[in-house]
Amino acid sequence: MYSKDDINKLYREIAASIDISDDMFTAAVDEYESLGKWIDENTPQYQISIYPQGSFGLGTVVKPITDEDDYDLDIVCQFKEQYGLTAKQLKVDVVKPLLLGYKKTSRDIENKRRCWHVEYAEIPNFHMDVIPAYANAKLKRINITDHDTYDYIGSNPSGYITWFFERCARQQKRLLDSYMKEHRLVVASADVEEIKRRKIKTPLQRVVQLLKRHRDIMFADDDSGNKPISIIITTIAATLYQEEDNIVDAMTNILLEAPKWINCNKKNDLYYIENPSYPGENFADKWNTHPERATAFFNWVKHATADLTGNQLYQMSRIDMGENVKMCFGEKTGKTVFSKAAEECRAGVENGSLKVDRSSGNLSTKGTVSVPTTRHYGQ
């Protein structure tokens, strides 16, 4: 049987196992910084900055399900001003040649609605979605290029990141203070920001990672295009997050409240999930023209609620929980997490830190009955 603390610990372990590794995170940062430096050196006529958006900026990256799949690195290629360029000139005539000239691509770069999709042969495990943009200082936003019309449209990815971290600021400060104290660190403010983004994971960030992986598994074989998109999951989760200090409570609250919140925020009976950093942008606009996507989202929420917060979790044996984790988060994740747990349990029994809890019969640091160490030497 599992307690709430047990499940919280398990969810922390699962989230850590599906998070990007330190080496891969560093490689991603090095890559977009290298791209930025190369573009800067080759465009003396423009002032350009390169920075991440999406899951890298939010600290909610999730590993690909298989080793054959790539990480998706979303970055903004921001020009200081418009420089008199039309949207098409900026995207096609200026940014595309720069991306083609940076390194050898494995194939021609793909023109998506708001970005260039680039796969470099020299960069394993990553592909880049590069968003051309220019800074609109007057309106405190950026203007990005729209492929359908080749007009400029507004956006505010850095504002979204700021909003997201404001939603979990108290828990982030608590965890950061604990981390700094535990590691006895006194560092510069720039280093603190790096620690916050990389080392400190709030319950909100972990919930988003777990929900994204559960979605990936559920829709792994679904080619319908109805797979819930990450920006909607992240926005709803951050909006409904109440600064809970643990994953289970945060997950439960978010999943239970999500359907009601979505329906209460309709406008003129149409789905409307507003971008909190750019009023007027509706992340759920496609739901109104493709209602099957809304249906798929609500169905996924129903399954996630049952799978990740249901009362049956507390009655499961270790074997049952192992199978449940594999079902919800993938075979590889389940094996990794439970192999690590088994090794920690073995070490705890041997060093005496784990004993049998009389009230539950489980091994626990609060247990009082020692477990004799067993040695099997054969017959």
Side-chain angles (χ1 to χ4, degrees), residues 309-330:
T309 69
N311 289 330
Q312 79 281 357
L313 297 172
Y314 300 91
Q315 309 302 319
M316 286 184 176
S317 67
R318 184 181 179 84
I319 293 175
D320 291 337
M321 183 61 81
E323 292 304 311
N324 188 64
V325 169
K326 291 178 183 178
M327 178 191 73
C328 294
F329 301 107

Side-chain angles (χ1 to χ4, degrees), residues 21-33:
S21 69
D22 287 343
D23 288 344
M24 291 299 286
F25 181 85
T26 300
V29 172
D30 289 346
E31 197 49 54
Y32 74 72
E33 288 182 346

Side-chain angles (χ1 to χ4, degrees), residues 11-232:
Y11 282 170
R12 286 196 301 271
E13 294 289 344
I14 294 170
S17 75
I18 62 177
D19 201 352
I20 188 171
S21 69
D22 287 343
D23 288 344
M24 291 299 286
F25 181 85
T26 300
V29 172
D30 289 346
E31 197 49 54
Y32 74 72
E33 288 182 346
S34 174
L35 173 62
K37 182 180 179 181
W38 188 90
I39 288 178
D40 183 60
E41 291 172 348
N42 287 272
T43 54
Q45 69 274 41
Y46 304 121
Q47 285 184 264
I48 303 173
S49 57
I50 301 286
Y51 57 89
Q53 70 144 10
S55 58
F56 270 84
L58 298 170
T60 58
V61 178
V62 174
K63 285 180 181 177
I65 294 177
T66 69
D67 294 334
E68 288 73 37
D69 296 325
D70 288 348
Y71 288 96
D72 182 2
L73 179 54
D74 295 325
I75 60 178
V76 178
C77 179
Q78 180 178 311
F79 288 63
K80 184 179 181 181
E81 57 185 89
Q82 187 176 347
Y83 293 107
L85 299 168
T86 65
K88 187 172 184 178
Q89 287 172 332
L90 177 67
K91 186 175 186 182
V92 178
D93 298 336
V94 178
V95 173
K96 182 179 182 180
L98 289 171
L99 297 177
L100 287 172
Y102 173 55
K103 287 183 177 180
K104 184 178 180 181
T105 60
S106 58
R107 56 190 175 90
D108 189 29
I109 66 177
E110 181 181 355
N111 192 358
K112 291 192 171 182
R113 181 181 177 188
R114 299 180 180 181
C115 68
W116 288 111
H117 178 88
V118 193
E119 297 180 18
Y120 289 112
E122 301 171 44
I123 308 173
N125 303 116
F126 284 110
H127 66 255
M128 295 185 186
D129 285 341
V130 182
I131 302 171
Y134 77 87
N136 190 326
K138 183 178 179 181
L139 298 179
K140 297 181 179 179
R141 70 184 194 194
I142 63 173
N143 281 0
I144 63 177
T145 59
D146 182 84
H147 174 260
D148 293 344
T149 61
Y150 272 121
D151 290 329
Y152 283 115
I153 59 175
S155 187
N156 190 12
S158 60
Y160 187 93
I161 291 172
T162 298
W163 168 81
F164 181 87
F165 282 106
E166 285 174 350
R167 296 296 303 155
C168 55
R170 192 173 73 229
Q171 290 303 322
Q172 189 178 60
K173 183 180 185 306
R174 176 182 67 82
L175 293 168
L176 177 62
D177 290 344
S178 176
Y179 181 91
M180 301 286 277
K181 183 177 180 181
E182 180 183 351
H183 292 81
R184 299 179 181 179
L185 293 178
V186 179
V187 298
S189 58
D191 295 326
V192 168
E193 190 62 28
E194 171 63 18
I195 291 171
K196 285 164 64 177
R197 289 290 193 269
R198 180 71 200 109
K199 298 295 185 182
I200 303 301
K201 297 290 187 181
T202 64
L204 172 58
Q205 289 166 294
R206 290 310 196 191
V207 167
V208 171
Q209 288 179 303
L210 292 169
L211 291 179
K212 285 165 62 175
R213 174 45 59 90
H214 182 277
R215 170 211 58 188
D216 290 343
I217 296 298
M218 182 170 168
F219 287 84
D221 299 319
D222 190 327
D223 297 324
S224 66
N226 297 329
K227 176 181 174 180
I229 60 176
S230 294
I231 192 64
I232 289 182

Side-chain angles (χ1 to χ4, degrees), residues 8 52 138 218 220 252 281 290 319 342:
N8 263 308
K138 183 178 179 181
M218 182 170 168
T252 302
E281 181 177 9
H290 298 81
I319 293 175

Side-chain angles (χ1 to χ4, degrees), residues 315-359:
Q315 309 302 319
M316 286 184 176
S317 67
R318 184 181 179 84
I319 293 175
D320 291 337
M321 183 61 81
E323 292 304 311
N324 188 64
V325 169
K326 291 178 183 178
M327 178 191 73
C328 294
F329 301 107
E331 186 82 17
K332 183 177 179 181
T333 299
K335 289 181 178 179
T336 298
V337 169
F338 277 85
S339 293
K340 180 180 178 183
E343 178 57 31
E344 289 177 349
C345 182
R346 182 197 63 75
V349 169
E350 289 190 353
N351 65 31
S353 62
L354 287 180
K355 298 179 181 180
V356 177
D357 186 332
R358 292 181 185 275
S359 62

